[in-house]
């Protein structure tokens, strides 16, 4: 297990260390431009030299809020890198801006080179986990390309929930839903709608610059639920993880986690030849997640500060019983810093990495209490931090 986990160096330093000159690859898709060379894949930082599998924390903030206090945290997004193959988990606000400084784009200064991106996994469809998904589609096919003609990027995520959530707090008038004919689209339907909404841009680049057709470079998939698991119902205890994706580098399985009324919500496990990495998604303490993470090398888990929740709600001009309901509603969908260490302990995880911080602006020291009750290594995540998995390869 890697004992080194620190922020990555600048992109310019990464290019120097890789022996690549900035701008060595020109933008593809322009009239008269030569075809771009195959991407060499993500460049490791010095802390990951020798590690074939590594986790990169692209963005570590949770919540649909632009946090104050100079947190320096982009929206939630994580990467698993196995050799020259890249996989992303969630696409929070501004996270894609961190791909280049994280060394996760190809080496061309003028390119959005994501030909080494094989798959994207969305834990659930809350805005703070998908805000940059439209940007991935829009910019990924321009100036370098997203995916390959014979290997489109696979996007896996929740399917249509099939019903609206209950009104909260109880007794509030029931609002008219947005898009009432299809109010709870899943990953496949969402992707189709985004492509249709931005067709002007896609067609302009397709006809005017020779950019690839986005529909040939991205394939969205709704994750099928097991028998007995209603899309909007209670979260059942699963007998086995759900198979999601497999190639020559990784096997990805999923489980259902409990994120309140946002269902279905998933946690993901990546198994490689070097070890295993589990991402919790947003969830309260979940027996399914403990099962999925059993014996993993790295557990990357969300965390919320209960004291901050209580302080934030205390000032609301509502009765005390309503305030208590708000607190329980929030805590009932997330894992607190007092709980998350026990989750890692019960799973037998070797390392616990915290991310999806709510709030995003608290100092790192406030989160270290999460190590109580856990004997393994604890890492308080930061944007651009990476963790090697397995042993260094000479």
């Amino acid at each position: 297990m890697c004992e080194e986990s620190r922020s990555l160096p600048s992109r310019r330093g990464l290019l120097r260390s890789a022996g690549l000159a900035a701008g060595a690859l020109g933008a593809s898709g322009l009239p008269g431009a030569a075809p771009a060379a195959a991407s060499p894949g993500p460049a490791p930082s010095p802390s990951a030299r020798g590690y074939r599998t590594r986790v990169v924390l692209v963005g570590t903030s949770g919540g649909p809020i632009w946090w104050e206090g100079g947190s320096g945290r982009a929206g939630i997004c994580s990467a698993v890198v196995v050799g020259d193959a890249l996989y992303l988990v969630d696409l929070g606000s501004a996270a894609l801006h961190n791909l280049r400084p994280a060394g996760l784009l190809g080496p061309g200064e003028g390119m959005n080179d994501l030909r080494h991106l094989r798959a994207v996994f969305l834990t659930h469809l809350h805005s703070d986990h998908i805000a940059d998904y439209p940007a991935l589609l829009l910019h990924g096919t321009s100036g370098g390309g997203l995916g390959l003609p014979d290997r489109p990027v696979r996007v896996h995520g929740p399917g249509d929930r099939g019903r609206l959530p209950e009104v909260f707090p109880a007794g509030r008038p029931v609002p008219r839903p947005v898009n009432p004919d299809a109010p709870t689209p899943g990953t496949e339907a969402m992707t189709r709608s985004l492509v249709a909404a931005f067709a002007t841009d896609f067609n302009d680049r397709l006809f005017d610059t020779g950019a690839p057709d986005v529909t040939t470079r991205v394939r969205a998939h709704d994750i099928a639920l097991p028998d007995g698991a209603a899309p909007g119902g209670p979260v059942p205890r699963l007998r086995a993880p759900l198979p999601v994706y497999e190639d020559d580098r990784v096997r990805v399985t999923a489980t259902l986690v409990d994120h309140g009324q946002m269902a279905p919500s998933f946690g993901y496990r990546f198994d490689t030849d070097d070890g295993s990495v589990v991402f919790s998604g947003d969830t309260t303490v979940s027996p399914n997640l403990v099962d999925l993470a059993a014996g993993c090398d790295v557990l990357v888990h969300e965390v919320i500060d209960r004291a901050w929740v209580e302080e934030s709600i205390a000032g609301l001009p509502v009765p005390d019983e309503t305030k208590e309901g708000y607190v329980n509603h929030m805590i009932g969908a997330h894992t607190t810093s007092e709980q998350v260490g026990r989750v890692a302990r019960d799973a037998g995880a070797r390392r616990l990495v915290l991310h999806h911080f709510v709030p995003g602006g608290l100092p790192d020291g406030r989160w270290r209490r999460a190590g109580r009750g856990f004997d393994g290594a604890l890492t308080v995540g930061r944007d651009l931090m990476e963790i090697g998995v397995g042993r260094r390869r000479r």
Side-chain angles (χ1 to χ4, degrees):
M1 183 62 224
C2 173
E3 294 301 325
E4 300 178 64
S5 54
R6 56 179 181 269
S7 296
L8 295 169
S10 68
R11 172 181 53 82
R12 192 173 302 275
L14 283 168
L15 296 178
R16 285 199 199 100
S17 66
L20 299 168
L25 297 178
S28 65
L30 298 177
S39 169
S45 79
S47 66
R49 296 290 179 192
Y51 287 94
R52 179 174 176 267
T53 298
R54 52 200 171 95
V55 178
V56 183
L57 304 183
V58 183
T60 55
S61 180
I65 296 173
W66 295 300
W67 300 106
E68 297 179 0
S71 72
R73 298 187 187 277
I76 190 65
C77 178
S78 305
V80 175
V81 182
V82 187
D84 61 357
L86 171 65
Y87 311 85
L88 294 175
V89 180
D90 288 329
L91 294 164
S93 178
L96 293 184
H97 288 278
N98 277 349
L99 292 181
R100 193 173 295 280
L104 298 177
L105 289 179
E109 182 77 24
M111 298 180 67
N112 295 328
D113 185 354
L114 281 169
R115 284 165 292 168
H116 51 287
L117 174 61
R118 297 194 181 187
V120 176
F121 302 89
L122 303 177
T123 60
H124 61 289
L125 302 184
H126 267 154
S127 59
D128 56 322
H129 291 251
I130 60 171
D132 263 16
Y133 185 39
L136 179 74
L137 300 177
L138 285 163
H139 300 315
T141 50
S142 302
L146 180 67
L148 296 170
D150 60 343
R151 193 186 67 211
V153 174
R154 307 287 175 173
V155 180
H156 298 268
D160 192 326
R161 185 191 311 164
R163 73 177 191 182
L164 291 163
E166 300 293 330
V167 172
F168 180 84
R172 184 166 62 88
V174 178
R176 176 175 171 79
V178 174
N179 197 33
D181 292 337
T184 57
T187 302
E188 292 180 11
M190 176 181 67
T191 302
R192 287 194 299 269
S193 295
L194 289 172
V195 170
F198 295 112
T200 296
D201 178 85
F202 289 132
N203 282 322
D204 188 71
R205 299 187 188 281
L206 177 65
F207 281 77
D208 190 47
T209 70
D213 179 353
V214 66
T215 64
T216 68
R217 298 299 179 93
V218 175
R219 292 282 188 271
H221 303 273
D222 293 344
I223 298 174
L225 298 182
D227 293 340
V235 178
R237 184 76 175 266
L238 300 188
R239 289 180 292 180
L242 309 174
V244 174
Y245 173 92
E246 186 167 4
D247 63 19
D248 62 324
R249 304 297 175 84
V250 300
R251 182 177 69 255
V252 181
T253 53
T255 196
L256 288 168
V257 295
D258 188 354
H259 189 34
Q261 296 205 74
M262 175 47 81
S265 292
F266 294 104
Y268 291 106
R269 178 175 179 130
F270 290 71
D271 284 291
T272 78
D273 288 344
D274 304 298
S276 53
V277 182
V278 174
F279 297 90
S280 70
D282 283 11
T283 181
T284 187
V285 175
S286 166
N288 282 341
L289 193 279
V290 171
D291 292 344
L292 185 73
C296 69
D297 292 286
V298 181
L299 172 59
V300 187
H301 205 294
E302 67 119 87
V303 65
I304 193 170
D305 187 88
R306 184 184 181 101
W308 174 84
V309 173
E310 294 173 343
E311 291 163 7
S312 300
I313 293 174
L316 295 177
V318 295
D320 287 345
E321 59 269 22
T322 303
K323 294 178 183 178
E324 183 179 358
Y326 278 128
V327 170
N328 292 336
H329 190 70
M330 190 75 167
I331 296 301
H334 294 281
T335 305
T336 68
S337 51
E338 292 81 9
Q339 295 171 321
V340 68
R342 295 195 294 272
V343 171
R345 178 199 64 197
D346 292 347
R350 293 176 177 81
R351 176 180 289 272
L352 171 61
V353 178
L354 302 180
H355 76 160
H356 192 276
F357 297 95
V358 177
L362 290 182
D364 289 359
R366 182 95 166 245
W367 301 110
R368 297 196 182 281
R369 72 186 72 173
R372 299 171 186 170
F374 176 57
D375 294 332
L378 171 69
T379 298
V380 177
R382 272 279 167 192
D383 288 17
L384 308 185
M385 182 180 284
E386 66 173 31
I387 299 96
V389 180
R391 296 182 179 180
R392 288 186 187 271
R393 298 190 174 198
R394 300 295 181 183

